[in-house]
Amino acid sequence: MRAWRHVVGLLAAVVALFPMVFVVAASLDPSGTLTGSNDLFAAVTWDHYATLFTDGLHPFPRWFANSMVIGLTTAAGSVFLGACAAYAFSRFRFRGRRAGLLGLVFIQLFPQVLAYVAIFLLLSAVKEVFPPLGLGSRLGLVMVYLGGALGVNTYLMKGFFDSVPEDLDDSAQIDGASHAQVFFLVLLPLVRPILVVVALFSFVATMNDFVIAGLVLTDPDQQTLAVGLYQLVSYRLGQSWGVFAAGALIGALPVLVLFQFLQRFITGGLTAGAVKT
């Protein structure tokens, strides 16, 4: 009676995996074109993967390292800043608290495309005063990512902080804990699932971003993987889809590894943090 579920699951798996299989075939196809990859694995070569690490005009290892540094820094910063803001909105009562929450939600209603010109002009002006944080710097790009995601991350985390009884805060403070100790030692372990989700989403969004990274990073040596790989297929007479597919597959590995590593925290983090050891 339940055999149809397995059939549906198998069909869903085939639909989900076929694009991945096609990309793998394109990365191994000697022709280096997408149309030549229609005959899946008719011919196999590893030259495209070798080209990624030997092409001096397209420094793939540097692009990959830049993406990892920017992605991990953004993920850590998003978690820390979002958690601090969510803790303040959840546990403290101050003038403008409700207006601040509504402002965070209201700002998220506008699409990011409206901010591209403002980001460019702002970083251009900052570069005149403090170049390490201005246009063309990786630190400036991280700041843009942190500011853009702070609103939605704060609102998401606040809901988890609200679910933790304030009696735990009071008990810890009676035992002599400060606000910082309550925040780091009591609340953060209990809201670990949302911390993991925010970190994972921030890392994935940063690794996949092309528009903002292409707008801010003007130096080819500081470009991210998404911006760098675009150069492989942006030239009409020099398109190399095989190398592009190979780079896309390697660039997807950190996301897969990070998801597999954090998956157990997503499912068991809440109960693990609530159990006294």
Side-chain angles (χ1 to χ4, degrees):
M1 295 295 293
R2 297 182 179 180
W4 65 271
R5 300 181 180 180
H6 298 281
V7 175
V8 174
L10 181 61
L11 292 176
V14 171
V15 173
L17 292 177
F18 179 76
M20 180 65 68
V21 173
F22 187 85
V23 174
V24 173
S27 69
L28 298 175
D29 186 76
S31 66
T33 62
L34 294 180
T35 56
S37 305
N38 292 333
D39 298 330
L40 299 179
F41 306 104
V44 175
T45 181
W46 296 96
D47 293 342
H48 299 316
Y49 290 91
T51 302
L52 285 175
F53 298 94
T54 57
D55 187 359
L57 296 178
H58 303 97
F60 176 82
R62 184 179 295 274
W63 296 340
F64 186 85
N66 290 337
S67 294
M68 291 298 298
V69 171
I70 294 174
L72 293 175
T73 304
T74 302
S78 297
V79 170
F80 179 73
L81 294 179
C84 291
Y87 175 71
F89 279 112
S90 176
R91 289 301 193 258
F92 300 116
R93 300 295 180 267
F94 51 89
R95 181 178 299 177
R97 172 178 173 272
R98 181 176 178 82
L101 288 173
L102 293 177
L104 292 177
V105 178
F106 182 74
I107 292 175
Q108 301 304 314
L109 297 177
F110 296 94
Q112 291 185 346
V113 67
L114 297 179
Y116 292 161
V117 176
I119 291 173
F120 180 82
L121 296 177
L122 178 62
L123 293 182
S124 297
V126 172
K127 186 177 181 179
E128 301 291 336
V129 181
F130 189 64
L133 196 60
L135 190 67
S137 67
R138 290 177 295 182
L139 181 59
L141 180 61
V142 171
M143 293 296 117
V144 172
Y145 286 146
L146 293 179
L150 183 60
V152 62
N153 291 340
T154 300
Y155 206 79
L156 287 175
M157 291 184 180
K158 178 185 176 299
F160 269 72
F161 278 105
D162 290 341
S163 65
V164 179
E166 295 189 17
D167 295 341
L168 295 177
D169 302 27
D170 298 336
S171 299
Q173 290 176 354
I174 291 175
D175 292 337
S178 63
H179 285 294
Q181 290 174 322
V182 171
F183 175 69
F184 286 105
L185 301 179
V186 178
L187 291 181
L188 288 189
L190 296 177
V191 298
R192 189 181 304 172
I194 192 61
L195 302 182
V196 171
V197 170
V198 168
L200 183 60
F201 285 177
S202 298
F203 181 79
V204 173
T206 302
M207 291 288 291
N208 294 335
D209 177 63
F210 168 77
V211 178
I212 297 180
L215 179 70
V216 176
L217 300 178
T218 57
D219 187 356
D221 290 334
Q222 293 187 353
Q223 290 177 344
T224 59
L225 191 59
V227 179
L229 289 178
Y230 175 74
Q231 299 179 10
L232 298 175
V233 294
S234 60
Y235 302 105
R236 181 178 180 183
L237 300 179
Q239 293 178 344
S240 182
W241 288 101
V243 181
F244 177 86
L249 288 174
I250 296 178
L253 291 179
V255 177
L256 295 177
V257 172
L258 188 62
F259 181 82
Q260 291 298 325
F261 176 75
L262 297 178
Q263 188 175 16
R264 63 189 182 94
F265 293 100
I266 296 176
T267 56
L270 184 58
T271 56
V275 176
K276 184 177 181 180
T277 58

